[in-house]
Amino acid sequence: MEIGGLQKTTLIDFPGRIAATIFLCGCNFRCPFCYSGELVLPEKIKKQPKILEKDFFDFLKERKGLLEGVVLCGGEPTIHRELSDFCRKIKALGFLIKLDTNGSNPAVLKEIIEDELLDYVAMDIKAPKEKYDFFSGAKLVKKVEESINILKESQLDYEFRTTVAPGLKQEDIFSLSEWIAGKGVNYFLQEFNSQKEVLNPDILNLPVLKKEELEEIIRKIRPKFKTCYLR
Ligand code: SF4
């Protein structure tokens, strides 16, 4: 497992838990608004300092009783064949696991849910179906849809979340909210941070919805969900 970063403590990434976050290298999407080029682009990954798996597990052993969980973040964790074994090792040390995913590998997601290796999943919804290819830089929307359904049918705690990228319009959020709606669904909108470097700077020329507009959208879509708010 190629580990490109470790945040030793987070109080906000794993709902209700004190956790550490690890950043795994590699991603099968190329979202134009992505802030994590060093974990996505092979030429940048090469230059990114790596953390040895052994050092990560030594760190976890030292933190037993202090941390409750581990957040697996990317890049995209589900592209790694060793993910399941990696989760098993974390679980064996007594930690809870949250997975952050782009939802592009429903078979892997289903397997690790069925093997009871996950405690929480946060899945990105990049855009409405009809614009998914543009906002993900990939052609995997059918896989994403399968993952949406797997999570909805699971007994697991999960959330869907959308970073409101430049170019996403009010009607896009309405359209995607219809797509993912459900009385058991937690859904969050996240403001785009225009200060960070992105994969495709051309996207910065597109208009970004303002905070007041997002709050107005949330008021309208909230009844479709269990919870829905702006982060
Ligand atoms: S899914 Fe998109 S935003 Fe997330 S790491 Fe991959 S390219 Fe970046």
Side-chain angles (χ1 to χ4, degrees):
M1 197 67 98
E2 215 173 11
I3 304 172
L6 169 66
Q7 187 180 346
K8 292 185 172 174
T9 311
T10 170
L11 302 176
I12 55 172
D13 287 342
F14 195 150
R17 304 287 179 184
I18 304 169
T21 300
I22 57 162
F23 299 87
L24 302 171
C25 296
C27 187
N28 52 353
F29 278 12
R30 290 291 181 272
C31 310
F33 58 92
C34 175
Y35 316 126
S36 308
E38 72 287 356
L39 297 167
V40 171
L41 302 172
E43 65 276 17
K44 289 199 173 178
I45 291 174
K46 265 190 220 155
K47 294 180 194 154
Q48 178 72 1
K50 307 295 183 312
I51 294 161
L52 295 175
E53 216 176 289
K54 181 189 174 305
D55 292 344
F56 168 65
F57 282 106
D58 285 347
F59 158 80
L60 274 191
K61 284 173 198 156
E62 280 167 20
R63 291 299 198 282
K64 273 177 100 164
L66 299 171
L67 293 175
E68 300 170 275
V70 175
V71 179
L72 304 179
C73 179
E76 172 50 40
T78 64
I79 65 171
H80 298 279
R81 270 180 298 158
E82 323 87 291
L83 183 65
S84 181
D85 286 344
F86 192 68
C87 289
R88 259 178 244 284
K89 284 192 216 161
I90 296 172
K91 281 273 174 193
L93 291 173
F95 293 93
L96 301 169
I97 300 179
K98 174 189 176 229
L99 173 72
D100 287 355
T101 180
N102 63 21
S104 60
N105 284 303
V108 173
L109 181 65
K110 192 160 187 273
E111 185 191 318
I112 51 178
I113 290 175
E114 285 176 357
D115 288 348
E116 300 183 352
L117 294 172
L118 300 181
D119 300 282
Y120 193 95
V121 175
M123 178 174 151
D124 295 336
I125 307 293
K126 306 289 180 188
K129 252 196 226 187
E130 58 279 12
K131 294 189 178 176
Y132 226 86
D133 292 0
F134 174 78
F135 283 97
S136 65
K139 292 188 183 298
L140 290 165
V141 66
K142 287 201 178 125
K143 299 283 183 193
V144 170
E145 186 159 59
E146 275 181 56
S147 292
I148 291 171
N149 292 330
I150 287 168
L151 287 176
K152 280 185 172 177
E153 285 160 17
S154 76
Q155 302 301 312
L156 205 61
D157 277 342
Y158 68 92
E159 67 181 52
F160 297 136
R161 58 191 189 180
T162 299
T163 297
V164 186
L168 273 180
K169 299 179 182 146
Q170 183 167 308
E171 58 265 32
D172 294 328
I173 312 282
F174 291 145
S175 171
L176 79 81
S177 70
E178 285 293 326
W179 183 31
I180 63 168
K183 287 293 171 202
V185 175
N186 300 304
Y187 179 52
F188 305 109
L189 291 179
Q190 300 173 164
E191 279 190 276
F192 176 72
N193 182 343
S194 58
Q195 304 307 311
K196 295 189 182 174
E197 200 180 321
V198 293
L199 285 193
N200 181 356
D202 290 346
I203 200 158
L204 301 174
N205 297 322
L206 299 175
V208 188
L209 288 167
K210 296 189 186 73
K211 189 170 183 189
E212 310 77 74
E213 293 173 301
L214 295 177
E215 281 166 351
E216 182 58 32
I217 291 169
I218 283 177
R219 268 194 291 280
K220 290 185 181 155
I221 65 173
R222 186 171 279 145
K224 298 182 209 285
F225 297 103
K226 182 173 158 196
T227 51
C228 176
Y229 56 85
L230 180 64
R231 276 197 178 131

